[in-house]
Amino acid sequence: MKLLSVAITFLIASFATVAQTNQKYIEVAGTADYRKQVAHFEAVFTINATPRYSYNDEQPPTMEDLQKRFLLKATEMGLEKNQIQLITDEKRAELKMLKSENTQSYVVETTNENEVLGIISLQDMGAWIYKFREKVTYKPFANKEKIIALALKDARENANVVAKAMNVRVGEILSITDHYYEDQLEAAYYSKTVRKYRIAVRFEIK
């Protein structure tokens, strides 16, 4: 279905081009899936020990209890002590966090992508603990040539579909336009979303 829709779109464009300019080429899109790899991830978690209204006489947990609970969960995940740091006043000011005697915050970080989802799950420990923010830095492409090669292969397959409908054959590559614009390596939130690398390729036709 993907090839068919691409073929129809570029078939119309190709006929229009040949009719208007008499240039013998077709231009198609090529895509390849890729994922960004994490270089560094950090999340800030705030523990709020402000007494909450209760329908019973149950005593709310103390700040000390909540801190122990949070640190225990983090260490059970295999995180090292140096990955869990108490937020300093300087860091609090940098993050524009309000200071309160009933709250305490930690920054948890990793360079191991396998630990990221576990760290994010620390926010699921109850209403007393919540994730204030997260920040992820991605690695630059390590295999860009391979990704482009896959996109180019996809473009040639699309071109063959168009050429067959036109009763011609695909020839040499005349030009390649790279439509990759995601050079930003820093993001506010972690994502495992598979992205598309896109190129446009112009082929001569015979």
Side-chain angles (χ1 to χ4, degrees):
M1 182 62 70
K2 171 194 168 190
L3 288 177
L4 181 58
S5 60
V6 170
I8 292 172
T9 301
F10 285 102
L11 179 58
I12 295 171
S14 299
F15 275 136
T17 301
V18 173
Q20 293 172 16
T21 68
N22 203 32
Q23 291 177 326
K24 299 294 185 179
Y25 65 81
I26 53 177
E27 185 170 308
V28 295
T31 64
D33 293 341
Y34 74 94
R35 280 194 66 243
K36 289 185 176 180
Q37 294 180 309
V38 171
H40 181 264
F41 174 87
E42 70 176 41
V44 175
F45 296 90
T46 293
I47 299 172
N48 188 348
T50 303
R52 288 170 166 76
Y53 179 79
S54 175
Y55 288 102
N56 51 46
D57 295 328
E58 183 180 340
Q59 284 294 106
T62 64
M63 173 62 78
E64 184 180 4
D65 290 337
L66 292 169
Q67 286 179 297
K68 285 181 179 179
R69 189 184 306 176
F70 179 81
L71 295 174
L72 178 62
K73 178 68 181 293
T75 53
E76 284 177 347
M77 289 166 42
L79 297 179
E80 303 292 336
K81 288 184 179 180
N82 62 359
Q83 293 179 258
I84 311 162
Q85 299 294 329
L86 198 62
I87 290 285
T88 62
D89 288 341
E90 182 181 1
K91 184 72 171 179
R92 187 185 299 276
E94 177 190 329
L95 297 175
K96 299 179 180 178
M97 299 174 66
L98 296 177
K99 188 173 182 178
S100 168
E101 61 180 12
N102 293 317
T103 63
Q104 192 59 265
S105 299
Y106 290 87
V107 57
V108 185
E109 58 186 346
T110 185
T111 57
N112 181 352
E113 187 168 0
N114 294 327
E115 294 177 340
V116 171
L117 292 179
I119 291 174
I120 294 174
S121 73
L122 290 171
Q123 67 184 334
D124 300 326
M125 295 178 60
W128 305 95
I129 299 170
Y130 63 93
K131 179 164 62 66
F132 176 76
R133 69 182 286 275
E134 68 180 63
K135 173 184 171 184
V136 56
T137 304
Y138 292 101
K139 296 178 182 178
F141 270 120
N143 57 343
K144 189 171 183 177
E145 295 83 359
K146 181 179 178 181
I147 293 172
I148 292 177
L150 290 172
L152 185 56
K153 179 183 177 183
D154 183 56
R156 186 170 288 278
E157 290 173 354
N158 293 337
N160 286 332
V161 173
V162 176
K164 185 176 180 181
M166 296 172 64
N167 197 28
V168 295
R169 291 184 295 112
V170 175
E172 298 297 320
I173 294 174
L174 299 177
S175 67
I176 299 175
T177 303
D178 192 333
H179 290 292
Y180 175 76
Y181 300 113
E182 296 187 34
D183 289 329
Q184 186 176 355
L185 297 179
E186 188 174 290
Y189 297 99
Y190 171 71
S191 172
K192 293 183 69 175
T193 302
V194 174
R195 294 170 167 83
K196 293 283 186 183
Y197 196 105
R198 291 179 172 83
I199 60 174
V201 186
R202 184 173 291 184
F203 295 90
E204 75 169 320
I205 53 177
K206 299 177 180 178

PDB file of all heavy atoms in Angstrom, residues 187-202:
ATOM      1  N   ALA A 187      16.488  16.949  24.291  1.00  0.00           N
ATOM      2  CA  ALA A 187      15.022  16.961  24.314  1.00  0.00           C
ATOM      3  C   ALA A 187      14.540  17.034  25.755  1.00  0.00           C
ATOM      4  O   ALA A 187      15.262  16.698  26.695  1.00  0.00           O
ATOM      5  CB  ALA A 187      14.471  15.712  23.628  1.00  0.00           C
ATOM      6  N   ALA A 188      13.294  17.483  25.915  1.00  0.00           N
ATOM      7  CA  ALA A 188      12.717  17.633  27.250  1.00  0.00           C
ATOM      8  C   ALA A 188      12.217  16.310  27.806  1.00  0.00           C
ATOM      9  O   ALA A 188      12.151  16.132  29.017  1.00  0.00           O
ATOM     10  CB  ALA A 188      11.574  18.645  27.213  1.00  0.00           C
ATOM     11  N   TYR A 189      11.877  15.371  26.909  1.00  0.00           N
ATOM     12  CA  TYR A 189      11.326  14.101  27.362  1.00  0.00           C
ATOM     13  C   TYR A 189      11.932  12.952  26.564  1.00  0.00           C
ATOM     14  O   TYR A 189      12.253  13.097  25.381  1.00  0.00           O
ATOM     15  CB  TYR A 189       9.795  14.079  27.219  1.00  0.00           C
ATOM     16  CG  TYR A 189       9.105  15.110  28.073  1.00  0.00           C
ATOM     17  CD1 TYR A 189       8.690  16.316  27.522  1.00  0.00           C
ATOM     18  CD2 TYR A 189       8.890  14.882  29.419  1.00  0.00           C
ATOM     19  CE1 TYR A 189       8.061  17.281  28.305  1.00  0.00           C
ATOM     20  CE2 TYR A 189       8.263  15.838  30.211  1.00  0.00           C
ATOM     21  CZ  TYR A 189       7.857  17.028  29.645  1.00  0.00           C
ATOM     22  OH  TYR A 189       7.253  17.973  30.423  1.00  0.00           O
ATOM     23  N   TYR A 190      12.050  11.817  27.218  1.00  0.00           N
ATOM     24  CA  TYR A 190      12.573  10.624  26.565  1.00  0.00           C
ATOM     25  C   TYR A 190      11.496   9.988  25.692  1.00  0.00           C
ATOM     26  O   TYR A 190      10.329   9.961  26.053  1.00  0.00           O
ATOM     27  CB  TYR A 190      13.028   9.614  27.623  1.00  0.00           C
ATOM     28  CG  TYR A 190      13.399   8.262  27.065  1.00  0.00           C
ATOM     29  CD1 TYR A 190      14.566   8.100  26.318  1.00  0.00           C
ATOM     30  CD2 TYR A 190      12.586   7.155  27.282  1.00  0.00           C
ATOM     31  CE1 TYR A 190      14.908   6.863  25.804  1.00  0.00           C
ATOM     32  CE2 TYR A 190      12.929   5.918  26.780  1.00  0.00           C
ATOM     33  CZ  TYR A 190      14.089   5.773  26.044  1.00  0.00           C
ATOM     34  OH  TYR A 190      14.425   4.541  25.526  1.00  0.00           O
ATOM     35  N   SER A 191      11.894   9.495  24.558  1.00  0.00           N
ATOM     36  CA  SER A 191      10.949   8.832  23.662  1.00  0.00           C
ATOM     37  C   SER A 191      11.627   7.660  22.956  1.00  0.00           C
ATOM     38  O   SER A 191      12.776   7.761  22.526  1.00  0.00           O
ATOM     39  CB  SER A 191      10.425   9.812  22.615  1.00  0.00           C
ATOM     40  OG  SER A 191       9.649   9.146  21.647  1.00  0.00           O
ATOM     41  N   LYS A 192      10.892   6.549  22.856  1.00  0.00           N
ATOM     42  CA  LYS A 192      11.389   5.394  22.106  1.00  0.00           C
ATOM     43  C   LYS A 192      10.807   5.367  20.694  1.00  0.00           C
ATOM     44  O   LYS A 192      10.916   4.381  19.984  1.00  0.00           O
ATOM     45  CB  LYS A 192      11.000   4.097  22.835  1.00  0.00           C
ATOM     46  CG  LYS A 192      11.687   3.912  24.169  1.00  0.00           C
ATOM     47  CD  LYS A 192      11.316   2.585  24.814  1.00  0.00           C
ATOM     48  CE  LYS A 192      11.902   1.408  24.050  1.00  0.00           C
ATOM     49  NZ  LYS A 192      11.662   0.113  24.722  1.00  0.00           N
ATOM     50  N   THR A 193      10.180   6.476  20.314  1.00  0.00           N
ATOM     51  CA  THR A 193       9.516   6.541  19.009  1.00  0.00           C
ATOM     52  C   THR A 193      10.492   6.282  17.874  1.00  0.00           C
ATOM     53  O   THR A 193      11.592   6.848  17.842  1.00  0.00           O
ATOM     54  CB  THR A 193       8.872   7.923  18.805  1.00  0.00           C
ATOM     55  OG1 THR A 193       7.953   8.157  19.868  1.00  0.00           O
ATOM     56  CG2 THR A 193       8.131   7.986  17.476  1.00  0.00           C
ATOM     57  N   VAL A 194      10.086   5.437  16.944  1.00  0.00           N
ATOM     58  CA  VAL A 194      10.878   5.203  15.740  1.00  0.00           C
ATOM     59  C   VAL A 194      10.634   6.360  14.783  1.00  0.00           C
ATOM     60  O   VAL A 194       9.493   6.717  14.490  1.00  0.00           O
ATOM     61  CB  VAL A 194      10.495   3.864  15.076  1.00  0.00           C
ATOM     62  CG1 VAL A 194      11.226   3.702  13.744  1.00  0.00           C
ATOM     63  CG2 VAL A 194      10.832   2.698  16.002  1.00  0.00           C
ATOM     64  N   ARG A 195      11.712   6.969  14.311  1.00  0.00           N
ATOM     65  CA  ARG A 195      11.598   8.114  13.411  1.00  0.00           C
ATOM     66  C   ARG A 195      11.881   7.698  11.973  1.00  0.00           C
ATOM     67  O   ARG A 195      12.387   6.607  11.729  1.00  0.00           O
ATOM     68  CB  ARG A 195      12.567   9.216  13.849  1.00  0.00           C
ATOM     69  CG  ARG A 195      12.218   9.831  15.195  1.00  0.00           C
ATOM     70  CD  ARG A 195      13.336  10.734  15.669  1.00  0.00           C
ATOM     71  NE  ARG A 195      12.939  11.574  16.789  1.00  0.00           N
ATOM     72  CZ  ARG A 195      12.937  11.183  18.057  1.00  0.00           C
ATOM     73  NH1 ARG A 195      13.312   9.956  18.367  1.00  0.00           N
ATOM     74  NH2 ARG A 195      12.568  12.007  19.022  1.00  0.00           N
ATOM     75  N   LYS A 196      11.565   8.598  11.054  1.00  0.00           N
ATOM     76  CA  LYS A 196      11.775   8.342   9.632  1.00  0.00           C
ATOM     77  C   LYS A 196      12.847   9.284   9.082  1.00  0.00           C
ATOM     78  O   LYS A 196      12.746  10.496   9.244  1.00  0.00           O
ATOM     79  CB  LYS A 196      10.476   8.553   8.838  1.00  0.00           C
ATOM     80  CG  LYS A 196       9.371   7.550   9.125  1.00  0.00           C
ATOM     81  CD  LYS A 196       9.639   6.226   8.453  1.00  0.00           C
ATOM     82  CE  LYS A 196       8.444   5.278   8.628  1.00  0.00           C
ATOM     83  NZ  LYS A 196       8.720   3.955   8.048  1.00  0.00           N
ATOM     84  N   TYR A 197      13.846   8.700   8.478  1.00  0.00           N
ATOM     85  CA  TYR A 197      14.852   9.493   7.759  1.00  0.00           C
ATOM     86  C   TYR A 197      14.380   9.587   6.313  1.00  0.00           C
ATOM     87  O   TYR A 197      14.105   8.566   5.689  1.00  0.00           O
ATOM     88  CB  TYR A 197      16.218   8.808   7.823  1.00  0.00           C
ATOM     89  CG  TYR A 197      17.370   9.707   7.464  1.00  0.00           C
ATOM     90  CD1 TYR A 197      18.206  10.202   8.460  1.00  0.00           C
ATOM     91  CD2 TYR A 197      17.623  10.086   6.146  1.00  0.00           C
ATOM     92  CE1 TYR A 197      19.268  11.050   8.152  1.00  0.00           C
ATOM     93  CE2 TYR A 197      18.665  10.923   5.836  1.00  0.00           C
ATOM     94  CZ  TYR A 197      19.488  11.397   6.833  1.00  0.00           C
ATOM     95  OH  TYR A 197      20.531  12.238   6.518  1.00  0.00           O
ATOM     96  N   ARG A 198      14.281  10.804   5.774  1.00  0.00           N
ATOM     97  CA  ARG A 198      13.681  11.003   4.453  1.00  0.00           C
ATOM     98  C   ARG A 198      14.669  11.643   3.479  1.00  0.00           C
ATOM     99  O   ARG A 198      15.381  12.585   3.840  1.00  0.00           O
ATOM    100  CB  ARG A 198      12.429  11.884   4.556  1.00  0.00           C
ATOM    101  CG  ARG A 198      11.266  11.211   5.263  1.00  0.00           C
ATOM    102  CD  ARG A 198      10.061  12.136   5.367  1.00  0.00           C
ATOM    103  NE  ARG A 198       8.900  11.433   5.868  1.00  0.00           N
ATOM    104  CZ  ARG A 198       8.650  11.218   7.155  1.00  0.00           C
ATOM    105  NH1 ARG A 198       9.491  11.651   8.068  1.00  0.00           N
ATOM    106  NH2 ARG A 198       7.568  10.546   7.546  1.00  0.00           N
ATOM    107  N   ILE A 199      14.682  11.090   2.271  1.00  0.00           N
ATOM    108  CA  ILE A 199      15.437  11.701   1.190  1.00  0.00           C
ATOM    109  C   ILE A 199      14.553  11.742  -0.052  1.00  0.00           C
ATOM    110  O   ILE A 199      13.557  11.003  -0.148  1.00  0.00           O
ATOM    111  CB  ILE A 199      16.736  10.919   0.872  1.00  0.00           C
ATOM    112  CG1 ILE A 199      16.392   9.472   0.455  1.00  0.00           C
ATOM    113  CG2 ILE A 199      17.694  10.935   2.017  1.00  0.00           C
ATOM    114  CD1 ILE A 199      17.608   8.671  -0.016  1.00  0.00           C
ATOM    115  N   ALA A 200      14.884  12.624  -0.980  1.00  0.00           N
ATOM    116  CA  ALA A 200      14.222  12.663  -2.284  1.00  0.00           C
ATOM    117  C   ALA A 200      15.293  12.370  -3.328  1.00  0.00           C
ATOM    118  O   ALA A 200      16.365  12.971  -3.315  1.00  0.00           O
ATOM    119  CB  ALA A 200      13.589  14.023  -2.535  1.00  0.00           C
ATOM    120  N   VAL A 201      14.987  11.428  -4.215  1.00  0.00           N
ATOM    121  CA  VAL A 201      15.979  10.993  -5.214  1.00  0.00           C
ATOM    122  C   VAL A 201      15.417  11.162  -6.610  1.00  0.00           C
ATOM    123  O   VAL A 201      14.278  10.757  -6.887  1.00  0.00           O
ATOM    124  CB  VAL A 201      16.381   9.514  -4.983  1.00  0.00           C
ATOM    125  CG1 VAL A 201      17.507   9.137  -5.939  1.00  0.00           C
ATOM    126  CG2 VAL A 201      16.791   9.281  -3.544  1.00  0.00           C
ATOM    127  N   ARG A 202      16.201  11.754  -7.464  1.00  0.00           N
ATOM    128  CA  ARG A 202      15.811  11.921  -8.862  1.00  0.00           C
ATOM    129  C   ARG A 202      16.601  10.916  -9.714  1.00  0.00           C
ATOM    130  O   ARG A 202      17.817  10.885  -9.699  1.00  0.00           O
ATOM    131  CB  ARG A 202      16.106  13.352  -9.324  1.00  0.00           C
ATOM    132  CG  ARG A 202      15.648  13.651 -10.739  1.00  0.00           C
ATOM    133  CD  ARG A 202      15.826  15.140 -11.057  1.00  0.00           C
ATOM    134  NE  ARG A 202      14.902  15.952 -10.282  1.00  0.00           N
ATOM    135  CZ  ARG A 202      14.789  17.268 -10.405  1.00  0.00           C
ATOM    136  NH1 ARG A 202      15.562  17.939 -11.277  1.00  0.00           N
ATOM    137  NH2 ARG A 202      13.922  17.942  -9.675  1.00  0.00           N
TER     138      ARG A 202
END
